[in-house]
Amino acid sequence: MYQMTPPQPVQPAPQQPEAPRRMSVAQIGLIVAVVGFAVWYLVTALTPEADRFGTITAGTLGSRYEGDCLLVRDETPYNAEGLTSIEYIAEEGSTVFRGTTICNVYSSGFSTREMMTLQDYRDQIKEYQLKLIHSEVATDARMEKLESEVMTRAREVRYIVSGARGNMSNLESLLASAIQARQSYLKQKYSEDQRMTRLYDDEQSQMQRISSWTKQYAAMSEGIVSFYSDGYEYGLTVNNYDQFTPAQVRSMLNGNKPDQSMLQKGKTTIYRMIRDGYWYVLMMVRDGSWNPVEGAEYDLKLESFRDTTVKATVVSFTRSGGEMVVRLAVRDQVSPILYIRTCTGELGDNVSILKVPGRALYTQDNMLGVVVVDGQYQTFIPVNVLDRRDGFAYISPIQQGVLAEGQTVRLF
């Protein structure tokens, strides 16, 4: 008998791992080409296209000279001796005319006790006026209107003091006028009251007594009045500014005031009067190699609290001790430099010129120029390049009149 066994599964023969397939040179080249194209596409798609056209604009080109400046105004100081106090009438920096009251000066014989007595009389007048008003039975419509005007102006002043916008000077004048109108009406209304009349007489007598120690100053001519002084006004004037040497100017720039006459010493400056329309500058130029041209006009920029640029004419200059002072005349308003004595400055002989983007320059037939675009027409214009600065070229056409500000040029 045969013993049968089930058939056994046949084990497959183990397979050998396949060797990795290598890319061909053509495949590698294709991948490199695809990557390169992708990079080029991204760069060109994301990078903004450079401008193809530019515009001719106006520029300035010239030399610059820096230095320290000493300013000279046509100003006259007024002083007094033996004074106790000053009452200012005119506004600081305002223009006054001949006869305009500027200030009241109280001499040394004046005592503050006299002012206290005057104030006492005025306090009594105020108290008695209030008493009479409160005793009124009938309503006084005129008085209520005047009182309302005073209170309204007082509130407006308070709002500005608190930070609101407005003209404080104008409101103070309106408030003073409203108070004066109210006082005039009260004086007229109670003119028959004997006590009130006596108080007014006492006030007037005391005011006359005070005036005997008071000297009133009025403007002798038209000008700008200022109550600030730095002491330079006496020794540095428009009549002698051109007589100072570079060493003397340098000394004044360092804070040393010019000599004053013996007559002025011991007195107090109460105000100064400044003539408008012209002033002078003593400029210590740092570039000692520069040779100024007398009578030439330059742009002068004064660098102070508020930069000021004016036209200045060279009057004269002096070299000494390795330094040079240039004397300049300015025909302009004096208000921007009313409170400035020293500052730094920059003098320049600016020349108006045309400028284009640097990429607008193009060479054709060995000539440098720009291509002007006018609609569908493009014209090559030869130019001289005077300077290159900050990405721009400062140019002048060889043939004058063919280029102008605002024309379009092609960029390369």
Side-chain angles (χ1 to χ4, degrees):
M1 177 180 292
Y2 294 97
Q3 184 177 357
M4 298 181 67
T5 60
Q8 299 295 322
V10 179
Q11 297 294 332
Q15 297 182 354
Q16 297 296 329
E18 295 183 0
R21 299 177 61 185
R22 295 182 179 180
M23 290 186 295
S24 64
V25 175
Q27 289 175 322
I28 295 175
L30 179 61
I31 293 174
V32 171
V34 171
V35 172
F37 175 78
V39 171
W40 172 83
Y41 177 80
L42 291 175
V43 170
T44 55
L46 299 179
T47 302
E49 184 179 357
D51 293 335
R52 298 175 56 196
F53 303 100
T55 305
I56 299 178
T57 57
T60 56
L61 192 64
S63 302
R64 291 286 185 275
Y65 307 99
E66 297 180 347
D68 299 317
C69 298
L70 182 67
L71 309 185
V72 185
R73 296 173 287 267
D74 185 3
E75 53 194 350
T76 302
Y78 292 84
N79 51 52
E81 58 181 347
L83 59 86
T84 301
S85 59
I86 304 174
E87 179 187 9
Y88 301 109
I89 306 299
E91 293 185 9
E92 167 65 29
S94 63
T95 300
V96 296
F97 303 91
R98 182 179 178 84
T100 303
T101 301
I102 295 177
C103 62
N104 294 324
V105 177
Y106 298 95
S107 64
S108 56
F110 173 76
S111 172
T112 55
R113 184 170 59 252
E114 304 296 339
M115 291 299 297
M116 294 174 62
T117 301
L118 177 62
Q119 187 60 46
D120 181 60
Y121 286 141
R122 289 175 173 174
D123 290 340
Q124 292 182 45
I125 292 173
K126 178 181 178 181
E127 291 176 2
Y128 191 57
Q129 284 177 343
L130 290 174
K131 182 178 179 180
L132 292 175
I133 292 174
H134 292 158
S135 64
E136 293 280 347
V137 177
T139 301
D140 189 337
R142 175 74 184 281
M143 185 61 197
E144 289 184 349
K145 181 179 179 181
L146 292 172
E147 184 70 20
S148 176
E149 179 71 12
V150 171
M151 297 305 296
T152 298
R153 299 303 180 189
R155 282 194 297 268
E156 291 174 349
V157 171
R158 189 181 301 115
Y159 291 152
I160 293 182
V161 172
S162 301
R165 300 182 62 182
N167 191 316
M168 176 64 80
S169 178
N170 289 344
L171 285 179
E172 287 180 342
S173 299
L174 292 174
L175 177 59
S177 298
I179 294 175
Q180 182 61 38
R182 182 181 64 181
Q183 285 300 107
S184 298
Y185 177 70
L186 288 173
K187 190 173 183 178
Q188 177 186 1
K189 180 177 181 178
Y190 300 113
S191 59
E192 301 297 329
D193 190 289
Q194 294 183 359
R195 182 181 175 186
M196 180 63 72
T197 302
R198 187 175 65 255
L199 289 173
Y200 279 131
D201 290 342
D202 292 339
E203 179 192 29
Q204 185 64 30
S205 298
Q206 186 63 21
M207 290 174 63
Q208 293 177 352
R209 180 181 176 85
I210 292 175
S211 66
S212 64
W213 286 292
T214 306
K215 181 178 180 180
Q216 187 177 85
Y217 285 79
M220 302 299 294
S221 60
E222 180 181 352
I224 299 174
V225 64
S226 175
F227 301 106
Y228 296 94
S229 170
D230 59 8
Y232 284 78
E233 302 90 353
Y234 297 97
L236 180 62
T237 69
V238 295
N239 297 321
N240 68 356
Y241 79 97
D242 57 346
Q243 301 173 14
F244 292 98
T245 65
Q248 291 173 318
V249 175
R250 177 63 66 188
S251 177
M252 286 186 283
L253 285 169
N254 291 335
N256 299 313
K257 299 176 183 178
D259 293 336
Q260 298 182 17
S261 66
M262 295 300 296
L263 181 63
Q264 307 300 336
K265 294 183 178 180
K267 295 185 178 182
T268 302
T269 303
I270 52 179
Y271 71 94
R272 58 190 172 110
M273 187 69 67
I274 306 100
R275 261 67 62 184
D276 196 11
Y278 63 97
W279 39 282
Y280 300 90
V281 180
L282 299 177
M283 185 173 182
M284 300 294 294
V285 179
R286 300 190 182 110
D287 186 355
S289 63
W290 178 44
N291 292 312
V293 178
E294 294 184 4
E297 186 178 71
Y298 297 88
D299 288 330
L300 174 63
K301 181 180 180 181
L302 299 178
E303 299 175 350
S304 55
F305 298 103
R306 182 178 59 184
D307 289 350
T308 300
T309 301
V310 293
K311 294 290 185 180
T313 303
V314 176
V315 177
S316 62
F317 65 95
T318 301
R319 282 191 174 91
S320 176
E323 290 193 298
M324 178 175 68
V325 58
V326 180
R327 305 174 185 94
L328 305 165
V330 178
R331 301 293 174 182
D332 209 321
Q333 292 183 344
V334 74
S335 53
I337 55 103
L338 194 62
Y339 306 105
I340 303 173
R341 181 65 67 181
T342 62
C343 63
T344 58
E346 183 182 73
L347 201 62
D349 54 346
N350 287 333
V351 178
S352 296
I353 202 168
L354 300 175
K355 69 176 182 178
V356 295
R359 292 172 48 214
L361 297 178
Y362 180 74
T363 301
Q364 178 176 302
D365 297 332
N366 295 323
M367 297 184 66
L368 192 62
V370 295
V371 176
V372 177
V373 179
D374 184 8
Q376 297 180 351
Y377 299 96
Q378 299 186 11
T379 307
F380 177 79
I381 305 295
V383 300
N384 292 319
V385 179
L386 304 179
D387 193 13
R388 297 174 187 255
R389 186 189 308 164
D390 301 328
F392 288 92
Y394 293 80
I395 63 172
S396 64
I398 295 178
Q399 181 181 353
Q400 297 299 318
V402 295
L403 292 181
E405 182 182 358
Q407 286 182 310
T408 300
V409 292
R410 184 177 173 185
L411 303 182
F412 300 91

